[in-house]
Amino acid sequence: MNPTDKPSGETAILSDKSSFKEVVNEACNRLWDRRVQYSIRRIREMEDALKTLELELDLMIKDSEF
C-alpha cells in the first residue's frame, strides 16, 4: 500500500518524503470528496423538502375538490 492510499475510507497520512505535488493533490482530493458529500447531503435535504411540498399540494388539491 502507498502512503497516499486511503485505507478503508480514511485519509492516509502522507510520508515525510512526499512531494509538494502529492500533498497538494491529496488535499484537493479530500476537498473534492467533502464537496461531493456536501452535495449529496443537500440533494437529500431538497428531496425531503420536495416530498413535503408534494404532500401539501396533494392536500390542497383534495380540499379544493370538495
Side-chain angles (χ1 to χ4, degrees), residues 3-32:
T4 57
D5 288 345
K6 294 180 182 177
S8 67
E10 297 177 7
T11 305
I13 298 173
L14 297 172
S15 70
D16 292 336
K17 296 182 181 182
S18 298
S19 71
F20 179 74
K21 183 178 179 179
E22 289 172 330
V23 172
V24 170
N25 283 340
E26 181 64 24
C28 289
N29 287 338
R30 285 184 287 164
L31 287 171
W32 185 255

Side-chain angles (χ1 to χ4, degrees), residues 17-63:
K17 296 182 181 182
S18 298
S19 71
F20 179 74
K21 183 178 179 179
E22 289 172 330
V23 172
V24 170
N25 283 340
E26 181 64 24
C28 289
N29 287 338
R30 285 184 287 164
L31 287 171
W32 185 255
D33 289 344
R34 283 186 183 178
R35 182 175 180 167
V36 167
Q37 292 301 317
Y38 174 77
S39 296
I40 290 169
R41 186 176 72 234
R42 287 290 299 139
I43 289 169
R44 287 183 180 144
E45 290 170 357
M46 289 186 281
E47 284 179 336
D48 290 342
L50 181 59
K51 286 177 186 176
T52 301
L53 290 171
E54 288 175 337
L55 290 173
E56 290 175 2
L57 181 59
D58 287 342
L59 288 173
M60 288 172 51
I61 291 171
K62 286 180 184 178
D63 288 344

